[in-house]
Amino acid sequence: MKWSTGRQKSRDNSTNIQAGRDVAIGLGYRDVKEISRDTAMEIFSRNFQVLSREAHAVAQQRANEFTRNLVESIQQRAPHILESFQEPGTQSALFSAQSGYAKTGDADLGEVLIELLISRAGCQQRNTSQLASNFAVGIAENLSSHHFAILTCNFALKQLAYGEIRSIGALARNIEASIGPFFQDLGNADPADLDYLAGLGCTIATAGSLPPGKYAGMNYPGLFTRGFSNKEIMHSERLIGTRLVRPFGPDPDRYQIDAVTTEDLLKLIDSLFLREISDLALSALRNTVLDEHEIERMITEGAPGLAPIFRRIRELEMNGYINTAIGTAIAHANMRRVIPEFDVPLVDLIPAGSAS
């Protein structure tokens, strides 16, 4: 069966590479297929011999189906990683993925496993990103679609930031586009699923609650500011009169930092050669953020469809959990599965680290 991955159409400014008879790009489709059949499929068959003849035939068919979809996905999207399937570590991950899919035949799981293998094969260093992808391949088979949805919504709300955001409406629309496709699957979830995910090493409980409004305020403090007067911030006279601040609202004695994010502010400080007051400016940006409930109200006004999503997230007590590196790898794979335009590499989302 050919899965519907939604990747048949190329995006604007993308490049399609099609290898014909006279084009060779490292290992080709047949090469990887041979590697899969002669090594991973051989191991697969040997480990599944204990099944009945009928069950073994079904498992073999599913494993072949998975391998075919994997190779076609790689050939279309990342032919440069084909050679990594000669490595024992990648072949071991492939066998684990084949086994996981063979047990269920779940197409969603199959697509998540393919994304995890692509991330793992694309990482040449034995670092946290590669290890998390490796481990996540074995964990994913123990998850259902609502578990994937929990991890992905957590990921989108707490680990992603959107570039070039200059309005609350733009931010709200981006958040809705990122988590909206997973909302339906949250309907089958239960608060106990968070404990289950924590037990598998995918999430970890936090010391306090971290709702969407808090993260939005942390990532985009300039959008959700209450402003300040010269009496509310010590030494604010050093800021007022510089190009780091601008008037806030109709009150002539109220100001705000003229930046949306901390990164924006640091760039502005450097451009104006005002590093001596950088700590003061950063404090004024971060310490004038509105209450998280007010921020969520403003966001849902910009995208009303987020209101039931935020409510469901509270019901599931997701605000008390964050993803681990393993949960991040699975969420990233699920996001790539559902939203192909999401192209941030996993290695950019997991802190750098290496393992000897």
Side-chain angles (χ1 to χ4, degrees):
M1 179 180 70
K2 177 75 164 95
W3 296 332
S4 176
T5 60
R7 292 198 176 84
Q8 302 306 312
K9 295 182 180 179
S10 60
R11 303 188 302 274
D12 293 341
N13 301 320
S14 66
T15 301
N16 288 332
I17 300 177
Q18 294 183 337
R21 293 183 179 178
D22 299 326
V23 180
I25 309 177
L27 289 177
Y29 178 95
R30 292 182 179 177
D31 297 314
V32 177
K33 201 169 183 179
E34 288 299 322
I35 289 171
S36 300
R37 179 162 55 242
D38 294 344
T39 56
M41 288 304 298
E42 179 182 342
I43 298 171
F44 176 89
S45 296
R46 195 161 56 239
N47 281 271
F48 274 69
Q49 288 295 337
V50 295
L51 298 177
S52 68
R53 179 180 300 178
E54 292 78 8
H56 182 272
V58 171
Q60 187 79 27
Q61 179 183 359
R62 289 174 177 172
N64 279 318
E65 176 187 313
F66 176 84
T67 305
R68 183 171 60 254
N69 280 284
L70 169 66
V71 174
E72 289 182 3
S73 293
I74 293 175
Q75 191 72 17
Q76 291 173 10
R77 296 164 47 199
H80 61 281
I81 69 172
L82 287 171
E83 292 187 11
S84 70
F85 282 84
Q86 295 181 98
E87 300 170 1
T90 309
Q91 288 184 15
S92 176
L94 172 58
F95 166 66
S96 180
Q98 287 173 319
S99 300
Y101 178 71
K103 295 170 188 174
T104 66
D106 185 293
D108 288 349
L109 171 62
E111 291 182 348
V112 168
L113 289 169
I114 283 177
E115 295 298 338
L116 286 169
L117 285 175
I118 289 176
S119 291
R120 191 253 179 258
C123 186
Q124 301 303 313
Q125 294 183 337
R126 191 170 183 266
N127 56 19
T128 305
S129 176
Q130 186 196 80
L131 296 174
S133 297
N134 236 24
F135 200 78
V137 168
I139 293 294
E141 67 175 84
N142 300 294
L143 305 180
S144 296
S145 58
H146 60 277
H147 296 124
F148 292 143
I150 289 172
L151 293 174
T152 309
C153 288
N154 239 12
F155 170 72
L157 287 170
K158 300 173 184 178
Q159 294 174 261
L160 291 185
Y162 307 95
E164 301 302 319
I165 296 295
R166 293 294 177 264
S167 71
I168 295 173
L171 174 62
R173 289 189 293 273
N174 274 274
I175 294 175
E176 186 174 29
S178 295
I179 66 177
F182 309 98
F183 177 51
Q184 184 174 355
D185 284 331
L186 286 181
N188 297 322
D190 184 88
D193 288 314
L194 274 299
D195 291 332
Y196 177 69
L197 288 167
L200 291 175
C202 296
T203 62
I204 186 171
T206 61
S209 180
L210 297 168
K214 182 178 281 290
Y215 275 98
M218 291 166 58
N219 288 330
Y220 304 95
L223 289 182
F224 303 104
T225 181
R226 61 177 181 273
F228 62 91
S229 68
N230 56 3
K231 297 179 181 179
E232 294 173 349
I233 293 184
M234 189 177 297
H235 305 303
S236 61
E237 71 278 358
R238 298 181 64 193
L239 291 172
I240 298 171
T242 72
R243 288 167 56 190
L244 295 178
V245 301
R246 60 185 173 90
F248 179 78
D251 189 338
D253 296 323
R254 201 155 190 83
Y255 309 89
Q256 72 176 96
I257 297 296
D258 192 16
V260 171
T261 67
T262 298
E263 182 180 15
D264 291 341
L265 177 56
L266 291 174
K267 289 179 180 178
L268 182 60
I269 288 171
D270 283 343
S271 70
L272 297 175
F273 302 100
L274 293 173
R275 293 178 186 172
E276 70 277 4
I277 57 173
S278 62
D279 289 345
L280 181 61
L282 287 168
S283 176
L285 179 67
R286 294 167 178 164
N287 295 334
T288 58
V289 177
L290 292 166
D291 173 82
E292 62 199 45
H293 300 292
E294 179 65 12
I295 292 175
E296 287 188 23
R297 183 192 64 78
M298 296 167 74
I299 291 174
T300 53
E301 284 181 353
L306 286 173
I309 299 177
F310 287 172
R311 184 164 55 249
R312 183 65 178 141
I313 286 171
R314 286 193 298 273
E315 291 171 354
L316 293 172
E317 302 175 6
M318 288 172 56
N319 294 334
Y321 291 82
I322 57 174
N323 291 355
T324 63
I326 296 164
T328 296
I330 294 172
H332 177 271
N334 196 43
M335 180 79 81
R336 288 283 300 128
R337 175 183 77 86
V338 176
I339 308 175
E341 293 78 15
F342 175 72
D343 58 0
V344 179
L346 178 63
V347 70
D348 291 349
L349 298 164
I350 294 180
S354 61
S356 56

